[in-house]
Amino acid sequence: MTPSGDGRAGGDDAIAVVGLACRLPGAPTPAAFWELLRAGGHAVREVPAERLGTTAPDDEQDTRPSRYGAFLDQEQIEGFDAAFFGISPREAALMDPQQRLALELGWEALEDAGLPPARLAGQRSGVFVGVIADDYAALSARLGADALGPHSMTGLHRSMIANRVSYVLGLRGPSMTVDTGQSSSLVSVHLACESLRTGESTVALAGGVNLNLLPETTDRVARFGALSPDGRCHTFDARANGYVRGEGGAVVVLKRLSRAVADGDTVHCLLLGSAVNNDGGGESLTAPLRAAQEDVLRLAHQRAGTDPADVQYVELHGTGTKVGDPVEAAALGAAVGTAREAGDPLMVGSVKTNMGHLEGAAGITGLLKVVLSLRHRLLPASLNYETPNPDIPLDELNLSVQRTTGPWPAADRPLLAGVSSFGMGGTNCHVVAAEWTGAHETAAPGSDTAPFGHAPVTCWPLSGRDRAGLRGQAARLAAFAAGHTDLSLPDVGWSLGTGRAALDHRAVVLAGERDAAVEALRAVAEGVPSAGVVSGVVSGEPGRVVFVFPGQGSQWVGMGAGL
């Protein structure tokens, strides 16, 4: 990894990823997403009946390309705790579920970063969300004017997907919904990084959401010829015949590296540089252009101050289409693959083989895969690859598909990766990411060793908007604690006390060892009394001043009356 003259690579211009959140098919959290990737799993299934379109006559339903997809469960879309975000049920019903999803992901990503939203209120914190779908607006239009209400305008306008997050969390930095086609969410990350570098934002949330609610939308993609008839994405394979649609979303929390280190944040990885351009021509409006893709790759490395020869893995746009794959491979080989020594190929893969194409949220899904791969120092397999595409000379381009889950090619060196995302209209984006090799600051809330041989008692504070929310928090923490035998109780208590919002319904678990903490948490989750739990509700009454006399020195009746 070669720093540039301005010291950008790993220097003060590097952007740290300090928080993660996702809601993906079969993977509601980053941890679950990583387990699916590591195991070589996928989330593609037959489209639920309520989302099945009309591409073919009834007697041909079983062979339609629109028959497959990677979908969230309906509860993940319909279930929304409106009161938690201070939104009325009537307003929530008129909101695009993508707004609701962005709110949830933003909150969860900040929690993962140890940043209670209240701490950011009023600050220059930016929100950048990639979105291209507006299925809910189309569904609403079908109901006619009688179904409109005072919240329809704000509920259906796509700009509000980012603006809603900024409003609810009180964030005063830039707030924008980005639509550059399928590259939207990675372009959002690029814009967030630039906003941080210029000082326009001090913290940024960046990502994308995509929900496929309207059957006709899938039919439109099918008629365009982009969908795989067999419901699989065969990236760089001879069988490449299109992609399968996916949905969900992800958000990352970003800071400048210098600030993240000063704040003692957990740094998941670094974003060293990125670039965006457009094909600006080509054979057709939607045909990819090799020269433009080469250019965006080279420009990203130039801005990152990195040598393309040092890259060990690139997460492809990788749609598995007959036209797109050969162009992407040729551009990547020219700009990065052949910069390496012959016989030492660049490893490549595509998360679309696991999750389908999340379209407006595709780029952030690929970036999340790379962040987790860097963090765990393991490369997941790219699925559905058996025979090289005859139009992709992998050896000549010095590329190789990552076919199995395994270590990085040069794990003894700092890990360096790239992420590509290309829009249908030619807006291309590439991000250069690297592992964080610096030391993590470790807060020291207490010691696991107590005097006189007694186990220390640790406090684990929990809170929720209501009693159900508090119980849910306790249940999730109990499951986490039960599955991690190496937990430091004081460290968990410190994180809960300093990195979580303090909501009205509260409980404090007191325990000296993990099993006791798990037992107490389960009691909170079940709503039963426990000797290791103190619970209550914050009073809505304003606090009153009291005077306490410690009992030392001269005292007399009425001595505080004058005060």
Side-chain angles (χ1 to χ4, degrees):
M1 191 181 305
T2 305
S4 65
D6 62 5
R8 171 163 291 187
D12 193 46
D13 273 341
I15 301 301
V17 178
V18 298
L20 309 170
C22 71
R23 190 88 79 256
L24 297 168
T29 65
F33 182 43
W34 175 248
E35 285 306 309
L36 183 144
L37 292 172
R38 187 185 59 80
H42 70 83
V44 178
R45 58 188 172 112
E46 290 198 16
V47 180
E50 64 272 17
R51 307 210 203 172
L52 200 57
T54 57
T55 302
D58 290 342
D59 60 352
E60 297 178 19
Q61 294 290 318
D62 290 344
T63 61
R64 295 183 308 157
S66 55
R67 184 169 167 242
Y68 301 96
F71 290 90
L72 297 176
D73 294 334
Q74 204 65 17
E75 173 58 28
Q76 292 177 293
I77 298 174
E78 296 176 353
F80 177 66
D81 190 347
F84 180 89
F85 294 104
I87 298 171
S88 71
R90 179 172 295 181
E91 183 173 7
L94 292 174
M95 285 168 55
D96 186 336
Q98 293 178 135
Q99 284 191 34
R100 308 199 294 250
L101 180 57
L103 272 175
E104 293 169 339
L105 290 173
W107 185 282
E108 291 172 13
L110 288 173
E111 280 201 334
D112 185 68
L115 274 172
R119 193 182 300 169
L120 297 179
Q123 296 188 22
R124 297 194 311 271
S125 300
V127 179
F128 305 82
V129 185
V131 190
I132 67 174
D134 58 359
D135 288 12
Y136 198 70
L139 287 169
S140 177
R142 289 181 178 178
L143 301 178
D146 291 341
L148 298 176
H151 303 296
S152 295
M153 180 70 172
T154 55
L156 300 176
H157 206 290
R158 269 193 301 186
S159 67
M160 292 295 169
I161 295 174
N163 296 164
R164 179 85 64 174
V165 176
S166 298
Y167 170 75
V168 170
L169 302 184
L171 311 181
R172 294 187 179 173
S175 181
M176 59 185 75
T177 300
V178 179
D179 184 354
T180 60
Q182 291 75 5
S183 58
S184 297
S185 58
L186 201 62
V187 171
S188 295
V189 173
H190 165 80
L191 293 173
C193 291
E194 293 305 293
S195 182
L196 289 165
R197 290 190 175 107
T198 62
E200 187 179 49
S201 298
T202 54
V203 177
L205 289 86
V209 292
N210 187 67
L211 293 177
N212 301 321
L213 307 176
L214 192 63
E216 285 80 354
T217 305
T218 299
D219 292 342
R220 187 188 310 155
V221 180
R223 291 178 186 273
F224 180 69
L227 293 185
S228 168
D230 57 13
R232 294 291 183 271
C233 181
H234 303 283
T235 302
F236 280 23
D237 190 88
R239 297 168 293 166
N241 57 3
Y243 62 81
V244 59
R245 300 188 80 200
E247 68 178 5
V251 167
V252 294
V253 179
L254 306 174
K255 289 183 180 181
R256 290 182 74 134
L257 176 60
S258 56
R259 176 165 179 166
V261 172
D263 292 344
D265 294 326
T266 295
V267 177
H268 296 287
C269 80
L270 302 179
L271 306 183
L272 301 182
S274 56
V276 173
N277 72 359
N278 190 273
D279 289 348
E283 294 183 4
S284 71
L285 174 65
T286 61
L289 188 67
R290 170 181 165 173
Q293 292 185 14
E294 282 185 41
D295 185 56
V296 81
L297 289 161
R298 292 193 172 99
L299 182 57
H301 282 287
Q302 179 184 333
R303 302 192 72 214
T306 48
D307 185 344
D310 292 332
V311 180
Q312 297 188 40
Y313 175 80
V314 168
E315 176 65 20
L316 303 165
H317 180 61
T319 54
T321 56
K322 293 181 182 297
V323 175
D325 278 10
V327 172
E328 180 173 11
L332 183 60
V336 183
T338 53
R340 305 164 59 85
E341 292 185 7
D344 180 23
L346 170 69
M347 305 308 296
V348 299
S350 174
V351 74
K352 292 177 178 65
T353 62
N354 308 94
M355 286 285 146
H357 191 341
L358 268 75
E359 298 167 356
I364 190 65
T365 306
L367 177 63
L368 180 59
K369 173 186 171 181
V370 167
V371 172
L372 295 171
S373 299
L374 289 166
R375 186 78 171 144
H376 293 278
R377 305 195 103 239
L378 199 66
L379 284 175
S382 190
L383 309 183
N384 310 324
Y385 179 81
E386 295 177 0
T387 306
N389 188 323
D391 295 325
I392 301 177
L394 290 173
D395 291 341
E396 179 183 326
L397 298 171
N398 209 21
L399 306 176
S400 180
V401 177
Q402 181 73 24
R403 302 183 67 171
T404 61
T405 298
W408 286 67
D412 57 330
R413 301 200 308 263
L415 307 183
L416 186 66
V419 184
S420 290
S421 191
F422 307 138
M424 179 174 63
T427 297
N428 309 307
C429 183
H430 189 77
V431 174
V432 180
E435 77 171 321
W436 167 237
T437 57
H440 287 285
E441 295 284 342
T442 303
S447 171
D448 287 326
T449 303
F452 313 116
H454 296 290
V457 174
T458 297
C459 300
W460 283 6
L462 304 167
S463 69
R465 291 283 189 209
D466 52 26
R467 186 174 300 174
L470 176 63
R471 290 181 177 181
Q473 290 285 345
R476 284 189 288 274
L477 184 56
F480 175 81
H484 293 77
T485 59
D486 57 346
L487 281 182
S488 165
L489 269 65
D491 284 349
V492 174
W494 175 266
S495 296
L496 291 171
T498 63
R500 294 292 184 271
L503 307 176
D504 289 348
H505 288 256
R506 302 181 185 180
V508 178
V509 167
L510 306 171
E513 49 88 30
R514 185 180 61 92
D515 290 343
V518 171
E519 183 179 346
L521 286 167
R522 288 172 175 164
V524 176
E526 295 167 6
V528 299
S530 170
V533 176
V534 178
S535 60
V537 182
V538 175
S539 172
E541 299 179 3
R544 295 180 296 169
V545 176
V546 299
F547 294 93
V548 178
F549 300 94
Q552 298 176 356
S554 300
Q555 301 173 18
W556 59 92
V557 175
M559 63 183 289
L563 297 175

